[in-house]
Amino acid sequence: MTERILKIWAVGGTLFSLVLMLACQSKQVQKPIVPVKVATVELHVPNSGARYSATIIPRTQVELAFKVDGYVETLQKVRGVDGQVRDIQEGDAIVAGAVLARVRQSEYQVKVKEAESLASGGEIGY
């Protein structure tokens, strides 16, 4: 009889262990499949800003003229947005009385000599 009780306890213990293991096992819930897009990794350079088409007109505009004809030797220099010094260009801000350009000296020296010659009674020969 003792053997029979031992077998019952052994079978009962085994069944109890199996039931306990099954009860502790978590149920796996299947998650829904999520569609994805595959893309190659690329270097992205952001836009430097929005671009618009426009015509910009100055508040004040002055026509320039030299008293003497000739070749321009130098232009006024300004610092650009990149920090580099460059010749003045259309659209650059200037102050009143600024010297914007210089004519080659040899060009107007000829005119000065002609004027002096006329003032002293000489003639100009061409």
Side-chain angles (χ1 to χ4, degrees):
M1 181 128 161
T2 317
E3 237 178 79
R4 194 170 179 194
I5 294 176
L6 282 175
K7 283 183 183 180
I8 293 174
W9 274 102
V11 171
T14 305
L15 286 176
F16 179 75
S17 297
L18 284 173
V19 170
L20 184 63
M21 285 173 52
L22 289 174
C24 290
Q25 218 175 21
S26 64
K27 293 182 182 177
Q28 291 184 354
V29 179
Q30 284 189 349
K31 295 181 181 178
I33 297 174
V34 179
V36 296
K37 291 182 180 180
V38 178
T40 305
V41 176
E42 298 174 353
L43 177 64
H44 176 70
V45 179
N47 291 339
S48 60
R51 294 179 180 243
Y52 298 97
S53 175
T55 302
I56 300 171
I57 57 172
R59 181 176 55 191
T60 306
Q61 186 167 340
V62 178
E63 295 296 324
L64 297 177
F66 293 100
K67 293 181 182 177
V68 180
D69 292 336
Y71 290 99
V72 173
E73 187 174 56
T74 60
L75 291 174
Q76 181 183 14
K77 304 286 186 191
V78 293
R79 191 168 300 279
V81 293
D82 60 354
Q84 299 295 319
V85 176
R86 61 171 173 76
D87 290 337
I88 193 166
Q89 297 175 352
E90 185 176 337
D92 288 335
I94 58 167
V95 295
V99 175
L100 302 179
R102 293 193 186 276
V103 176
R104 196 178 329 164
Q105 283 188 5
S106 60
E107 302 291 330
Y108 64 84
Q109 285 175 345
V110 169
K111 297 291 185 182
V112 169
K113 287 183 181 182
E114 288 176 2
E116 289 173 346
S117 176
L118 286 175
S120 66
E123 292 186 19
I124 300 175
Y126 287 99

